Amino acid sequence: MLLDFSLKEIQQLALQKGFPSFRGKQIFDAIMNGKNINQSNLPKDIKEQIQEEYPNFEIVKKLVSKDGTIKYALRMKDGQVVESVLMSHDYGKTLCVSSQVGCAMGCKFCASSLNGLVRNLTAGEILQQVVIVNKDLGGMIKKRAITNIVLMGMGEPLDNYENVTKFLKLVCDEDGFNFSERNITLSTCGIVPKIYQLADDGFSVTLTISLHATSDDKRKQTMPIANAYSIKQIIDACKYYFKKTGRRISFEYALIAGQNDSNQDAEKLAGLVKGLNCHINIIPLNDVKERGLKGTEIRKAYAFVEKLNSLGVTATKRRSMGEDIAGACGQLRQSVIKEEA
Ligand code: SAH
């Protein structure tokens, strides 16, 4: 698919096919500006030759929340539907992209895991989400409407390492959207060897760890990945990542009523991250009915944050956005989109 290629690669491809040299840039611009092949002003013979490789830009569904958050359901070329969520802040617009259709990680509280992994997204398909939403917001390739990207949609990005890192290179390419890695956040449940690899491969995106528990035993109850890697191993990997990149680490901690939200949990959590330059995002769990898990009430969540702060830990309560359109954390799920579409 042509979205998997940089400008230079598309120019080479165009030359190989015998097109005049300026056509490569023309094809690249059309794609990055989210034009479907019939909306581009490419000549008919070129259209015919690249049609199969040309992406298909289709918004299946667009839901706008009361708070302005927008959830997009986007159709990929093979018919799979992928969800992306746009959040508006005073500092800009953040697009939350999916890295897989479904997810293999099996976290008990997460709707993306309900049907397991369907397939990985390619680098181009992750980029496609940026292209479509940017266009929908009136942006162009050189006049981006999106300021930040978070890999926090469906899927585990480090379980799709090759495609995700290729996506990072493409989206940061100065011929393309020219994002800075500073404005990109990768969220992971903690696939430890891949955290080391990310640092060793020279990436410096903001790393966010979905922690959600303060002991390995407790973590195993909701997150199967905890059977493979301990919290200690994750924290060590974070220290390594920080040393290599200088980027402050973030943690996501969803408060589950009666399970991980006690005073002792706050104390344990503070102990775990001691000495690490980090920030903790606290969010009451969004209820997942299928699993009977409930979020901690709001007052208690604020008390948890205050407790952490009093222990010298930087923590804030994350605002939940797009709850009314099922676009909030952990609510993205392929099956519903299929029914709704
Ligand atoms: N697989 C990656 C990327 C998913 S990001 C990861 O685990 O980090 C989605 C974020 O939402 C993760 O932090 C995830 O743990 C969190 N999440 C999942 N279900 C949730 C729920 N019901 N309520 C609040 N957060 C949830």
Side-chain angles (χ1 to χ4, degrees), residues 278-293:
C278 71
H279 179 270
I280 303 185
N281 286 310
I282 300 294
I283 185 168
L285 188 86
N286 289 308
D287 300 352
V288 175
K289 286 193 203 86
E290 291 89 338
R291 300 270 165 75
L293 293 169

Side-chain angles (χ1 to χ4, degrees), residues 103 109-111 151-153 155-157 187-189 208 210 212 252 254 283-288 329-330:
C103 184
F109 43 75
C110 183
L151 283 146
M152 288 192 175
E156 167 50 48
S187 180
T188 176
C189 61
T208 293
S210 298
H212 307 322
E252 300 294 318
I283 185 168
L285 188 86
N286 289 308
D287 300 352
V288 175
C329 294

Side-chain angles (χ1 to χ4, degrees), residues 199-335:
D200 289 340
D201 287 344
F203 291 97
S204 59
V205 292
T206 301
L207 185 68
T208 293
I209 306 291
S210 298
L211 195 61
H212 307 322
T214 55
S215 74
D216 290 322
D217 282 344
K218 266 200 173 172
R219 199 162 186 262
K220 283 175 196 170
Q221 289 171 16
T222 51
M223 301 181 72
I225 192 72
N227 293 298
Y229 308 106
S230 68
I231 295 177
K232 162 109 182 30
Q233 285 174 304
I234 294 175
I235 304 280
D236 285 348
C238 289
K239 287 183 178 158
Y240 183 82
Y241 192 85
F242 178 75
K243 221 169 94 190
K244 274 255 166 170
T245 63
R247 309 284 299 142
R248 185 171 78 162
I249 307 290
S250 299
F251 290 93
E252 300 294 318
Y253 193 91
L255 292 171
I256 312 176
Q259 295 205 17
N260 64 356
D261 59 352
S262 69
N263 244 333
Q264 290 94 303
D265 281 308
E267 279 163 13
K268 267 191 166 170
L269 184 52
L272 286 174
V273 301
K274 203 168 174 215
L276 182 66
N277 189 342
C278 71
H279 179 270
I280 303 185
N281 286 310
I282 300 294
I283 185 168
L285 188 86
N286 289 308
D287 300 352
V288 175
K289 286 193 203 86
E290 291 89 338
R291 300 270 165 75
L293 293 169
K294 276 207 166 314
T296 300
E297 63 172 281
I298 214 84
R299 266 184 29 225
K300 213 169 164 197
Y302 277 114
F304 196 90
V305 170
E306 264 170 42
K307 179 76 188 169
L308 286 174
N309 290 340
S310 76
L311 295 166
V313 177
T314 319
T316 46
K317 197 190 131 304
R318 192 191 265 279
R319 213 156 32 110
S320 187
M321 299 178 82
E323 273 174 302
D324 53 331
I325 53 167
C329 294
Q331 294 187 330
L332 299 186
R333 57 176 88 200
Q334 163 80 352
S335 56

Side-chain angles (χ1 to χ4, degrees), residues 50-295:
I50 62 173
Q51 194 171 322
E52 282 214 345
E53 288 289 295
Y54 200 97
N56 161 46
F57 299 117
E58 184 188 348
I59 299 177
V60 184
K61 191 155 195 158
K62 178 176 167 182
L63 293 172
V64 182
S65 159
K66 285 186 293 210
D67 63 24
T69 301
I70 309 175
K71 182 165 83 166
Y72 292 90
L74 309 172
R75 186 155 1 250
M76 300 291 120
K77 223 167 172 164
D78 71 344
Q80 285 294 346
V81 173
V82 170
E83 290 178 296
S84 318
V85 179
L86 184 88
M87 293 158 286
S88 297
H89 309 278
D90 43 10
Y91 56 84
K93 291 191 190 303
T94 299
L95 183 65
C96 174
V97 295
S98 295
S99 56
Q100 297 179 315
V101 181
C103 184
M105 295 299 112
C107 298
K108 293 259 174 12
F109 43 75
C110 183
S112 296
S113 271
L114 289 172
N115 298 317
L117 177 67
V118 179
R119 69 169 175 85
N120 281 330
L121 291 179
T122 63
E125 288 173 326
I126 306 174
L127 185 60
Q128 183 163 346
Q129 301 169 57
V130 182
V131 171
I132 297 188
V133 175
N134 185 54
K135 179 185 182 213
D136 191 55
L137 299 173
M140 299 280 288
I141 176 173
K142 290 297 173 205
K143 231 184 97 219
R144 265 198 275 119
I146 298 166
T147 51
N148 299 71
I149 295 174
V150 293
L151 283 146
M152 288 192 175
M154 276 212 281
E156 167 50 48
L158 295 186
D159 188 37
N160 185 14
Y161 187 87
E162 294 305 322
N163 287 310
V164 164
T165 48
K166 186 170 169 190
F167 158 73
L168 292 176
K169 286 185 190 148
L170 287 170
V171 84
C172 294
D173 189 337
E174 54 183 21
D175 292 326
F177 281 117
N178 197 15
F179 269 91
S180 154
E181 286 191 41
R182 294 186 156 266
N183 296 325
I184 302 180
T185 296
L186 184 152
S187 180
T188 176
C189 61
I191 304 185
V192 167
K194 298 290 179 193
I195 297 175
Y196 286 98
Q197 192 180 343
L198 195 66
D200 289 340
D201 287 344
F203 291 97
S204 59
V205 292
T206 301
L207 185 68
T208 293
I209 306 291
S210 298
L211 195 61
H212 307 322
T214 55
S215 74
D216 290 322
D217 282 344
K218 266 200 173 172
R219 199 162 186 262
K220 283 175 196 170
Q221 289 171 16
T222 51
M223 301 181 72
I225 192 72
N227 293 298
Y229 308 106
S230 68
I231 295 177
K232 162 109 182 30
Q233 285 174 304
I234 294 175
I235 304 280
D236 285 348
C238 289
K239 287 183 178 158
Y240 183 82
Y241 192 85
F242 178 75
K243 221 169 94 190
K244 274 255 166 170
T245 63
R247 309 284 299 142
R248 185 171 78 162
I249 307 290
S250 299
F251 290 93
E252 300 294 318
Y253 193 91
L255 292 171
I256 312 176
Q259 295 205 17
N260 64 356
D261 59 352
S262 69
N263 244 333
Q264 290 94 303
D265 281 308
E267 279 163 13
K268 267 191 166 170
L269 184 52
L272 286 174
V273 301
K274 203 168 174 215
L276 182 66
N277 189 342
C278 71
H279 179 270
I280 303 185
N281 286 310
I282 300 294
I283 185 168
L285 188 86
N286 289 308
D287 300 352
V288 175
K289 286 193 203 86
E290 291 89 338
R291 300 270 165 75
L293 293 169
K294 276 207 166 314

